[in-house]
Amino acid sequence: MKIELFDTTLRDGTQGEGINLSIQDKLLITQKLDTYGIDIIEGGWPGSNPKDEEYFQSVKKLNLSHSKICAFGSTARYPNKIIEDNNLQSLLKAKTEVISIFGKTWRFHSEVSLGLSNDENAELIFNSVNFLVKEGRRVIFDAEHFFDGYKDDRNFSIKMLRAAEQAGASDLVLCDTNGGTLPNEIFDIVTDIKNQFNVPIGIHAHNDGGVGVANSLMAVKAGATHVQGTINGFGERSGNADLCSIIPNLGLKMGYEFNERLDITKTTSLSHFISELMNVEPDNRAPFVGLSSFAHKGGIHVSSVLKDSRMYEHIDPSLVGNLQRVVVSDLSGQSNIRYKAKEFGIELPKEREFSKKFVSYLKSMEYDGYQFDGAEATFELLLRSELKEYEPYFKVVYAKINVLKDENNLDYSEAVLKIKVDDEIEHTAADGNGPVNALDGAMRKALTRFFPVIEKVKLVDYKVRVLGDKDGTGAKVRVLIESSDGENTWSTVGVSENIIEASMMALTDSLNYKLFRLKNKVKPKLLTWIKKTFAT
Ligand SMILES: [Zn+2]
């Protein structure tokens, strides 16, 4: 059975708190969804704001290879003359092949919010759908609050669906608008509706009960063939049903098919791309596509995973474009270290003595506040330095950081550094808008003379965590930084009682790591996978 996929990230997804997309972002997302193989992309509500209207103008210029663009709107205002209704007119003006319109299918809403009788509401739905169908559009009818409406007054909600069907709607999409329906109810209700209608049935689930994905799967099981959702479950309140889980579940576990173009192995890359554009930190624990979805931490788990990953993984991560990871943590056993070394292409000495010694070394560092989960580059340098494969390329021999005010009373910082490379000492200074920024600038300025490649390295993320507060301001801080050379990214860590020193340690590791990789032509494997997949 083939399932039609309808993405509403650009419409319902942008209702989420803190989400704001420019037209350019929306166009980039449209292209990405098209490449991935989504059948219909709901681009926005042209009647609601000028930005969406502009989107529909610009999207026509994209050369989409598969996806159809859909404009969203509501039924006409009662008792407006249909032809004069602004909302329907702006839907037509968007000139999309597909239009989705929502109508009230819960009597409570129809009566209280619109003040309409049953017949008046049915007539409104019929006339609105029919008007657009006659204009040659494919019209998808979104039955708003359908499940709540069905439970309240089954006859009413079915009567409204019938009106849409008779008016020529191509699909009847049952919406769990408040997101509170449970999977068994969804199954029963969709089964009932499926038996009464010949047009395809769709599902539009929200995640307020934490079962948005389960509800979508149950609707399909009951016969729905059109599924609406958003990438990463973005959407208002607790979000919409997450297509990044629905698609792998339907395709890999339940045996449903999609159009031939759809490539499930691109799901992880799609998910990260959308998070990036939404400016939202990717959810590491997201099923299928999270950084941690196939991460193993405990020593016993890891030794089993190394034997046969099926013991602790529900699917092969590559099926969704994700990767198995072993997390280096305070639970680390020797098998973790061996696994990690293999990942970096490092050959560990055969005798167990080495890994045993290294594990206890790591444990003492973790006790001091280090954490290597998010700082694999520092971990790799430590391991290589234990193996005598690596020595730092430079040393900071003097550092002075001043926080100052300029003539306009604005804060700025100045860093003065002496850096030793071989036997030469480079003396530099740089300003920055904060002490870390100044330090970063001075360090790179000093090193660029020796290693021009350093110029390409940029600081892309900087996180500080205060470790415990037993000593008040004397508490230790852990600084995690992420650096990029435009092609790859890597993360390093520093721990100290002094935030500047911790930052300097993480920065030093970061630049040393870049140099080590360059000199030894080591290709990073895992550290870069998010950015890499993001780029493809
Ligand atoms: Zn919705």
Side-chain angles (χ1 to χ4, degrees):
M1 177 75 76
K2 218 173 214 175
I3 303 297
E4 182 175 62
L5 294 171
F6 181 107
D7 178 278
T8 180
T9 307
L10 297 177
R11 204 272 304 167
D12 231 0
T14 58
Q15 301 301 309
E17 224 177 336
I19 304 276
N20 205 341
L21 293 174
S22 68
I23 291 178
Q24 191 51 31
D25 293 336
K26 291 185 82 165
L27 294 171
L28 281 171
I29 291 178
T30 305
Q31 256 168 335
K32 190 80 180 177
L33 293 171
D34 175 52
T35 321
Y36 178 71
I38 292 291
D39 298 303
I40 303 172
I41 300 170
E42 192 170 61
W45 186 344
S48 72
N49 64 73
K51 200 158 97 179
D52 281 4
E53 269 166 44
E54 205 184 321
Y55 165 83
F56 286 106
Q57 296 306 313
S58 317
V59 79
K60 289 192 200 72
K61 294 179 201 128
L62 294 183
N63 223 340
L64 300 183
S65 51
H66 173 76
S67 306
K68 292 189 168 71
I69 300 296
C70 171
F72 172 85
S74 71
T75 49
R77 268 175 190 274
Y78 196 85
N80 275 8
K81 269 208 176 125
I82 292 287
I83 192 153
E84 286 163 9
D85 186 83
N86 281 338
N87 176 56
L88 295 184
Q89 284 302 334
S90 49
L91 280 170
L92 287 180
K93 259 192 244 147
K95 293 206 168 67
T96 54
E97 207 178 315
V98 187
I99 289 175
S100 57
I101 60 168
F102 72 92
K104 307 271 181 214
T105 54
W106 185 359
R107 190 163 54 94
F108 174 49
H109 266 268
S110 163
E111 275 178 12
V112 176
S113 145
L114 297 183
L116 298 180
S117 73
N118 298 2
D119 285 339
E120 284 167 340
N121 193 42
E123 187 191 326
L124 184 63
I125 291 173
F126 180 90
N127 288 341
S128 305
V129 172
N130 198 240
F131 171 72
L132 298 171
V133 169
K134 282 191 170 148
E135 292 287 331
R137 304 300 205 276
R138 170 177 168 189
V139 181
I140 294 174
F141 180 66
D142 278 357
E144 198 195 23
H145 293 111
F146 182 79
F147 295 94
D148 296 313
Y150 178 101
K151 287 191 269 181
D152 178 42
D153 183 342
R154 176 176 174 274
N155 287 342
F156 175 88
S157 60
I158 289 180
K159 184 181 164 95
M160 300 308 131
L161 288 185
R162 195 65 75 195
E165 184 199 33
Q166 283 166 352
S170 66
D171 308 73
L172 303 174
V173 177
L174 312 181
C175 304
D176 187 25
T177 311
N178 293 355
T181 310
L182 294 175
N184 59 315
E185 298 173 304
I186 297 269
F187 183 83
D188 294 345
I189 296 172
V190 175
T191 305
D192 180 23
I193 297 304
K194 181 72 194 159
N195 286 333
Q196 302 193 46
F197 288 87
N198 290 322
V199 285
I201 301 298
I203 179 74
H204 175 107
H206 277 259
N207 196 36
D208 299 75
V211 288
V213 170
N215 283 348
S216 309
L217 302 182
M218 280 303 102
V220 171
K221 192 90 190 145
T225 49
H226 168 109
V227 177
Q228 302 197 350
T230 63
I231 302 304
N232 299 330
F234 287 127
E236 59 191 320
R237 307 186 307 274
S238 301
N240 284 58
D242 184 355
L243 285 175
C244 293
S245 290
I246 294 175
I247 293 170
N249 277 318
L250 286 177
L252 302 175
K253 301 194 170 182
M254 294 166 74
Y256 288 94
E257 284 171 7
F258 308 104
N259 73 79
E260 278 153 24
R261 195 193 165 84
L262 187 110
D263 183 355
I264 300 183
T265 66
K266 294 218 167 87
T267 308
T268 302
S269 135
L270 174 72
S271 158
H272 289 275
F273 180 87
I274 304 288
S275 289
E276 196 89 19
L277 276 186
M278 294 267 191
N279 206 10
V280 172
E281 190 73 15
D283 178 4
N284 287 349
R285 291 189 298 124
F288 295 101
V289 297
L291 186 66
S292 306
S293 305
F294 301 94
H296 305 281
K297 198 163 177 176
I300 299 168
H301 276 210
V302 173
S303 55
S304 304
V305 161
L306 286 178
K307 283 181 197 134
D308 188 334
S309 61
R310 285 175 303 179
M311 283 195 245
Y312 285 101
E313 285 174 354
H314 70 127
I315 57 160
D316 173 354
S318 68
L319 294 173
V320 289
N322 208 337
L323 280 180
Q324 184 188 75
R325 294 170 64 237
V326 165
V327 177
V328 185
S329 73
D330 55 4
L331 293 172
S332 289
Q334 294 178 42
S335 48
N336 287 23
I337 304 295
R338 295 209 164 264
Y339 180 94
K340 214 65 204 167
K342 210 167 99 190
E343 220 174 67
F344 296 135
I346 300 174
E347 205 47 58
L348 284 190
K350 283 264 176 319
E351 63 273 23
R352 297 190 137 239
E353 224 19 63
F354 175 84
S355 43
K356 218 165 134 188
K357 218 178 91 200
F358 191 63
V359 167
S360 66
Y361 173 53
L362 283 185
K363 285 192 171 169
S364 73
M365 290 194 76
E366 276 167 344
Y367 182 78
D368 281 342
Y370 276 84
Q371 193 188 309
F372 300 103
D373 289 22
E376 292 177 313
T378 294
F379 173 82
E380 187 181 338
L381 289 181
L382 279 176
L383 182 57
R384 290 194 189 272
S385 129
E386 276 301 293
L387 289 164
K388 312 260 182 292
E389 287 179 9
Y390 155 81
E391 252 182 65
Y393 296 90
F394 62 91
K395 230 176 154 178
V396 179
V397 289
Y398 171 86
K400 189 167 85 182
I401 320 279
N402 291 315
V403 178
L404 306 146
K405 277 193 193 300
D406 67 9
E407 62 272 21
N408 300 318
N409 211 26
L410 293 172
D411 289 335
Y412 74 103
S413 300
E414 175 196 69
V416 181
L417 287 185
K418 280 184 195 168
I419 286 185
K420 193 174 171 199
V421 179
D422 297 327
D423 289 330
E424 247 185 283
I425 288 184
E426 179 76 7
H427 193 164
T428 51
D431 290 343
N433 51 21
V436 176
N437 185 239
L439 183 70
D440 179 45
M443 208 181 258
R444 284 199 285 118
K445 208 160 140 192
L447 289 170
T448 306
R449 181 161 80 82
F450 302 97
F451 314 107
V453 65
I454 291 294
E455 212 168 3
K456 283 196 196 151
V457 180
K458 299 259 174 315
L459 198 70
V460 290
D461 196 17
Y462 176 85
K463 285 194 197 96
V464 181
R465 167 71 51 91
V466 178
L467 306 171
D469 55 357
K470 52 183 187 303
D471 303 323
T473 53
K476 278 190 179 167
V477 291
R478 177 166 61 227
V479 169
L480 264 174
I481 69 172
E482 196 184 319
S483 311
S484 168
D485 56 10
E487 203 184 322
N488 297 306
T489 65
W490 59 96
S491 308
T492 50
V493 61
V495 174
S496 166
E497 268 142 26
N498 179 332
I499 184 169
I500 305 288
E501 199 193 341
S503 308
M504 192 150 74
M505 291 160 96
L507 276 173
T508 308
D509 268 7
S510 162
L511 299 178
N512 269 312
Y513 185 72
K514 168 75 191 166
L515 296 173
F516 176 82
R517 263 190 7 215
L518 189 79
K519 307 231 170 215
N520 295 276
K521 298 202 169 48
V522 176
K523 278 226 158 61
K525 273 193 200 150
L526 198 76
L527 309 165
T528 57
W529 69 279
I530 289 182
K531 295 289 149 140
K532 253 201 207 145
T533 48
F534 171 65
T536 52

